[in-house]
């Protein structure tokens, strides 16, 4: 029996192996298709990317036709290089360099030789392409921006790099991919699925028809459409208000966490990053180290929040029981807190309680409330951690988890922070009291400030801010519908909201009131320092304003940050009032505020940051050239039916 068993096993194993080899080599052609087979040419059909709409269904981003010239290096033979280069307006050196690069990728596989031909280039080359063996056209679709705003929201499309090609099997050399904004965040859905056609070639390398009658061919599947939470008209208006200024505006719907507007200034027309000039234009934007138009200040810029942070100081004081609505502190335009230290304040009546402390923005009141909070436990380290945890429950000091690919966590200090700063100890409430009024070690981004106000509007909870509203045949991530509850009891929000309402009725924003809209808000001013000529120089303060409206059943929460804008009520405040009225009424009645803001330019303030050297002037000219759309964009334009039912090029 043993003598028979071993030969039997060998025979069975050999038979199975032979059957498998026969199947793979004769029956199953998939390995043949996957290999670099000289007799079979793989042609890709690239799908249209998904369309992008705003929250109301307005088309923001569509597609337009484009053509790339592809090359298979080993098939390039006897090319009239001079004529070829003249047709495409490139140099012989460019030709040699591009062929060499393609050979490095693969001598047998196609790669992009020249991308995104314009209409005239395509027409001229199409007539003579048969003369140039190894070259062919690859049709693709480029983005067609229906609006001239929202560049930081959309992102842009660019060619994949070799590292990504090696890492992700979906992409080949020359493929396009979304970078920044929603194009990057939702790349997997927007890109669609490439179609593949296998073409049989004869021994002379001529195409003779589909392989296996198209048995293995697949069709391209268009990318999925998405609706953003953005209100297009509000976004456009915000960018207009921020012309000749720097900073960010973030508006959120409190009841859902949906981002209504995400403005960064300065910005640029998204259309300049389409077509053959994309690389050149991007380089100019990237090199503008002064205005930084590619830097999304709404998500990335970290600023001291200033007086808006007093809202949290008051809430934590109420929660910890160290103050109540009747607690009174006396302010003589400031107060002393030991060792010759003095915190200045504004001119207002001396007796301050929570309500008028808010609308008068009394530094003394909130500094004392903060010190009582830190002194409550007779242990500064323990107390500051409790304070820090309260603050962090509003989503501060951490990455917020929104669906955009960039962001900063800001900073909320705790006991570890002060152990590093004061390794020998000795710090106490008076040492860190500047935190009470949003200075000290606290920094926040505009989107965090907006989310803080959304949380106040909701009386103690928020939803993770997000920019996606709807995706075809997909559900929105559950994390965007999950409620986050703060550590502050709901009952403490009512008196705070009452004080914020009277900021517009009795306080620092009286001049910004919009008739018929009950706005709750807070002015803010943050100190601003910069290094100029190697010295630390104090510049004009940043202007900050946070608000939500209406007071009952809030529909919008907003944060406005204007760099070098001065007092919060000077520039940021009017912008907030205008944005709120625009969203709630779709019209503006405060024409006086609108005229003032549109006419305000802070370019002279920004010029101080780098002086008026020749280099600065040159960079400013580059920026102005781009922002005023003076750069030509030679791309093919096609008419698009903008209805969701019919999205075909005419």
């Amino acid at each position: 029996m043993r003598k028979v068993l071993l030969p039997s096993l060998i025979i069975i194993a050999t038979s199975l192996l032979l059957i498998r080899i026969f199947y793979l080599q004769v029956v199953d052609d998939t390995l043949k298709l996957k290999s670099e087979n000289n007799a079979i040419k793989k042609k890709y059909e690239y799908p249209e990317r998904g369309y992008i709409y705003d929250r109301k269904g307005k088309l923001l981003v569509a597609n337009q036709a484009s053509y790339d010239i592809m090359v298979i290096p080993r098939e390039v033979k006897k090319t009239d290089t001079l004529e070829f280069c003249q047709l495409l307006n490139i140099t012989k050196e460019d030709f040699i360099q591009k062929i060499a690069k393609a050979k490095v990728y693969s001598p047998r596989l196609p790669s992009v030789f020249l991308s995104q031909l314009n209409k005239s280039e395509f027409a001229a080359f199409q007539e003579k392409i048969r003369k140039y063996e190894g070259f062919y056209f690859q049709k693709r679709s480029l983005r067609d921006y229906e609006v001239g705003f929202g560049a930081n929201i959309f992102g842009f499309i660019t060619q994949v790099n070799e590292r990504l090609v090696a890492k992700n099997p979906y992409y080949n050399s020359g493929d396009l991919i979304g970078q920044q904004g929603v194009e990057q965040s939702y790349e997997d859905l927007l890109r669609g699925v490439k179609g593949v056609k296998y073409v049989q070639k004869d021994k002379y390398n001529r195409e003779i028809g589909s392989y296996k009658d198209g048995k293995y061919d697949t069709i391209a599947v268009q990318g999925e459409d998405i609706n953003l939470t953005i209100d297009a008209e509000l976004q456009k208006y915000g960018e207009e208000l921020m012309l000749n200024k720097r900073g960010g505006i973030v508006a959120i719907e409190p009841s859902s966490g949906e981002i209504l507007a995400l403005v960064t200034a300065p910005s640029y027309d998204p259309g300049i990053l389409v077509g053959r000039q994309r690389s050149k234009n991007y380089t100019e934007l990237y090199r503008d180290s002064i205005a930084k138009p590619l830097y999304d200040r709404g998500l990335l810029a970290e600023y001291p929040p200033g007086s808006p942070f007093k809202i949290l100081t008051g809430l934590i004081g109420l929660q910890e029981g160290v103050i109540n609505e009747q607690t009174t502190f006396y302010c003589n335009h400031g107060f002393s807190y030991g060792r010759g230290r003095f915190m200045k304040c504004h001119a207002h009546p001396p007796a301050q309680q929570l309500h008028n402390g808010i609308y008068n923005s009394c530094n003394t009141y909130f500094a004392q409330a903060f010190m009582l909070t830190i002194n409550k436990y007779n242990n500064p380290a323990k107390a500051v951690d409790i304070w820090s945890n309260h603050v962090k429950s509003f989503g501060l000091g951490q990455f917020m988890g929104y669906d955009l690919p960039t962001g900063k966590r800001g900073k909320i200090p705790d006991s570890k922070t002060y152990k590093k700063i004061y390794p020998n100890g000795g710090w106490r409430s008076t040492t860190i009291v500047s935190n009470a009024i949003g200075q000290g070690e606290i920094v926040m981004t505009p989107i965090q400030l907006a989310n803080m106000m959304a949380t106040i509007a909701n009386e103690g909870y928020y939803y993770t801010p997000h920019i996606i509203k709807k995706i075809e045949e997909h559900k929105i991530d559950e994390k965007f519908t999950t409620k986050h509850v703060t550590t502050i009891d709901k009952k403490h929000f009512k008196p705070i909201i009452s004080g914020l309402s009277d900021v517009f009725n009795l306080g620092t924003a009286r001049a910004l009131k919009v008739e018929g809209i009950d706005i709750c808000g807070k002015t803010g001013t943050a100190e601003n320092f910069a290094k100029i000529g190697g010295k630390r120089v104090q510049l004009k303060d940043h202007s900050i304003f946070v608000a939500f409206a209406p007071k009952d059943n809030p529909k919008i929460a907003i944060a406005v940050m204007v760099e070098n804008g001065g007092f919060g009520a000077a520039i940021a405040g009017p912008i907030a009032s205008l944005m709120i009225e625009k969203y709630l009424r779709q019209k503006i009645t405060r024409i006086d505020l609108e005229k003032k803001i549109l006419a305000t330019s802070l370019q002279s303030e920004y010029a101080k940051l780098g002086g008026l050297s020749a280099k600065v002037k040159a960079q400013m000219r580059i920026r102005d050239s781009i922002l005023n759309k003076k750069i030509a964009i030679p791309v093919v334009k096609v008419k698009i039916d903008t209805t969701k039912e019919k999205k075909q090029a005419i």
Side-chain angles (χ1 to χ4, degrees):
M1 185 67 181
R2 291 181 180 178
K3 292 181 180 180
V4 176
L5 181 60
L6 183 59
S8 298
L9 290 174
I10 294 173
I11 292 170
I12 293 171
T14 304
S15 299
L16 291 173
L17 183 60
L18 291 172
I19 292 170
R20 180 61 177 166
I21 292 172
F22 176 81
Y23 175 77
L24 291 175
Q25 293 189 353
V26 180
V27 179
D28 186 6
D29 291 328
T30 56
L31 289 180
K32 187 184 296 185
L33 297 178
K34 291 178 181 178
S35 66
E36 292 188 8
N37 195 312
N38 293 335
I40 302 172
K41 182 179 181 180
K42 185 187 292 186
K43 285 187 174 181
Y44 289 102
E45 180 182 351
Y46 288 87
E48 277 197 272
R49 288 181 75 86
Y51 283 38
I52 300 177
Y53 300 84
D54 85 338
R55 67 187 294 109
K56 297 177 181 177
K58 176 182 173 63
L59 181 63
L60 303 176
V61 186
N63 299 301
Q64 57 182 298
S66 173
Y67 294 89
D68 294 346
I69 296 179
M70 309 295 291
V71 62
I72 303 175
R74 66 173 294 169
E75 296 181 9
V76 177
K77 299 174 182 177
K78 299 180 181 179
T79 299
D80 185 340
T81 308
L82 182 61
E83 181 188 51
F84 186 97
C85 293
Q86 288 176 342
L87 279 173
L88 296 175
N89 193 28
I90 62 174
T91 66
K92 185 175 180 180
E93 289 73 21
D94 288 335
F95 179 91
I96 295 171
Q97 185 180 23
K98 291 177 183 295
I99 291 293
K101 183 178 179 181
K103 285 180 179 179
V104 170
Y105 171 67
S106 173
R108 299 181 178 183
L109 296 178
S111 58
V112 175
F113 178 84
L114 197 62
S115 64
Q116 302 177 13
L117 269 67
N118 63 40
K119 190 174 182 178
S120 60
E121 290 170 333
F122 171 68
F125 196 72
Q126 186 182 33
E127 295 180 1
K128 300 187 177 183
I129 193 168
R130 293 182 181 179
K131 295 174 59 176
Y132 307 118
E133 293 185 55
F135 294 93
Y136 69 93
F137 284 115
Q138 175 70 67
K139 185 178 180 180
R140 302 181 193 269
S141 65
L142 299 179
R143 280 316 204 183
D144 185 20
Y145 295 97
E146 306 299 306
V147 296
F149 54 83
N152 61 308
I153 296 171
F154 306 139
F156 54 90
I157 306 299
T158 187
Q159 286 189 18
V160 294
N161 55 42
E162 294 179 5
R163 183 177 58 186
L164 183 59
V165 171
K167 182 180 178 181
N168 191 328
Y170 176 86
Y171 298 101
N172 298 310
S173 178
D175 282 2
L176 302 177
I177 189 172
Q179 287 291 315
Q180 300 182 12
V182 296
E183 294 282 17
Q184 179 175 335
S185 294
Y186 293 97
E187 164 69 9
D188 291 350
L189 297 174
L190 288 170
R191 74 188 182 191
V193 179
K194 288 183 288 190
V196 183
K197 291 184 178 181
Y198 297 96
V199 180
Q200 186 83 41
K201 296 187 292 184
D202 63 16
K203 63 181 181 180
Y204 299 108
N205 203 35
R206 295 175 301 194
E207 296 182 5
I208 57 176
S210 297
Y211 178 72
K212 294 284 185 179
D213 295 322
K215 177 181 177 181
Y216 298 102
D217 293 354
T218 59
I219 61 173
V221 179
Q222 182 175 338
E224 297 191 52
D225 295 344
I226 63 174
N227 283 74
L228 303 182
T229 61
I230 294 296
D231 182 298
E233 290 304 313
L234 187 66
Q235 178 72 25
K236 178 183 178 183
Y237 189 57
E239 294 195 17
E240 289 171 351
L241 294 175
M242 289 296 288
L243 284 174
N244 297 311
K245 307 169 189 70
R246 296 180 194 169
I249 305 173
V250 183
I252 295 174
E253 183 179 66
S255 62
S256 64
E258 294 179 354
I259 299 172
L260 303 173
L262 180 61
V263 176
T264 183
S267 189
Y268 58 93
D269 181 352
I272 68 172
L273 295 187
V274 178
R276 290 279 298 280
Q277 298 298 311
R278 190 207 72 81
S279 180
K280 176 185 175 183
N281 292 345
Y282 179 84
T283 299
E284 290 178 337
L285 289 169
Y286 180 80
R287 287 178 177 173
D288 186 353
S289 60
I290 298 175
K292 300 180 180 178
L294 292 173
Y295 182 71
D296 193 331
R297 286 168 164 84
L299 301 177
L300 292 170
E302 296 174 300
Y303 308 94
S307 290
F309 194 81
K310 294 172 183 175
I311 300 169
L312 298 189
T313 301
L315 282 170
I316 295 170
L318 291 171
Q319 181 67 29
E320 289 297 314
V322 297
I323 60 170
N324 57 42
E325 293 180 57
Q326 287 72 45
T327 301
T328 304
F329 297 112
Y330 290 89
C331 174
N332 188 21
H333 309 319
F335 84 109
S336 300
Y337 54 99
R339 296 185 182 179
R341 296 175 182 175
F342 185 78
M343 181 178 286
K344 293 182 180 180
C345 197
H346 317 289
H348 52 66
Q352 294 292 300
Q353 296 178 335
L354 179 64
H355 188 78
N356 60 347
I358 292 173
Y359 70 70
N360 286 324
S361 195
C362 178
N363 289 341
T364 298
Y365 181 91
F366 291 100
Q368 301 234 45
F370 176 81
M371 290 171 63
L372 287 176
T373 301
I374 300 303
N375 293 334
K376 176 182 177 180
Y377 296 95
N378 296 317
N379 182 337
K382 178 182 178 181
V384 81
D385 283 338
I386 291 172
W387 169 86
S388 181
N389 288 334
H390 282 311
V391 175
K392 290 175 180 176
S393 73
F394 286 77
L396 307 178
Q398 56 197 286
F399 292 113
M400 301 189 68
Y402 48 71
D403 52 342
L404 286 165
T406 189
K408 289 287 184 69
R409 64 169 67 240
K411 186 176 181 181
I412 302 299
D414 55 19
S415 61
K416 293 180 180 177
T417 306
Y418 294 111
K419 285 178 183 177
K420 290 180 181 178
I421 298 174
Y422 304 101
N424 298 322
W427 62 274
R428 53 184 64 86
S429 62
T430 55
T431 313
I432 62 173
V433 70
S434 55
N435 288 326
I437 59 173
Q439 300 286 273
E441 287 69 49
I442 299 170
V443 291
M444 295 164 59
T445 61
I447 193 171
Q448 290 176 325
L449 272 170
N451 189 65
M452 181 190 82
M453 289 308 289
T455 309
I456 306 298
N458 290 334
E459 298 183 8
Y461 69 88
Y462 69 91
Y463 294 97
T464 300
H466 54 283
I467 207 160
I468 192 71
K469 188 169 181 68
K470 185 172 70 174
I471 308 172
E472 285 184 309
E473 301 179 6
H474 281 271
K475 290 184 178 181
I476 302 300
D477 195 319
E478 289 184 0
K479 74 177 182 178
F480 299 135
T481 56
T482 300
K483 184 184 289 188
H484 302 276
V485 181
T486 71
T487 57
I488 308 298
D489 295 340
K490 182 177 180 178
K491 64 182 180 181
H492 298 310
F493 287 87
K494 293 290 186 185
I496 295 291
I497 290 173
S498 176
L500 293 174
S501 177
D502 275 342
V503 168
F504 278 83
N505 298 321
L506 305 169
T508 54
R510 293 189 302 274
L512 308 179
K513 192 171 182 179
V514 178
E515 193 65 35
I517 301 178
D518 194 354
I519 305 176
C520 301
K522 186 73 189 73
T523 53
T525 307
E527 292 182 343
N528 176 27
F529 294 90
K531 278 191 175 182
I532 299 178
K535 296 181 180 180
R536 189 170 184 263
V537 179
Q538 183 168 7
L539 301 174
K540 191 174 181 180
D541 294 336
H542 295 320
S543 179
I544 308 169
F545 201 90
V546 296
F548 65 83
K551 178 182 177 182
D552 299 317
N553 192 22
K555 297 291 191 298
I556 180 173
I558 191 167
V560 181
M561 169 70 74
V562 181
E563 295 179 9
N564 304 76
F567 294 115
I571 297 181
I575 290 174
S577 291
L578 291 167
M579 290 285 284
I580 287 171
E581 185 178 21
K582 181 72 171 179
Y583 181 67
L584 295 180
R585 291 178 171 167
Q586 287 78 54
K587 64 179 182 179
I588 296 297
T589 60
R590 290 299 308 267
I591 303 299
D592 57 325
L593 292 182
E594 185 180 62
K595 287 182 177 179
K596 172 190 173 185
I597 294 303
L598 291 176
T600 298
S601 173
L602 297 176
Q603 295 296 353
S604 60
E605 287 294 326
Y606 304 139
K608 296 175 184 177
L609 294 173
L612 291 176
S613 66
K615 181 179 179 181
V616 169
K617 289 181 179 179
Q619 289 179 320
M620 291 180 74
R621 282 196 298 272
I622 290 172
R623 182 182 70 251
D624 291 343
S625 174
I626 293 173
L627 298 184
N628 292 330
K629 308 176 190 177
K630 294 177 181 177
I631 295 179
I633 311 167
V635 295
V636 181
K637 288 281 185 179
V638 296
K639 292 182 179 179
I640 302 290
D641 188 327
T642 60
T643 62
K644 296 186 95 172
E645 292 78 13
K646 298 177 181 179
K647 299 180 299 181
Q648 296 180 352
I650 300 174

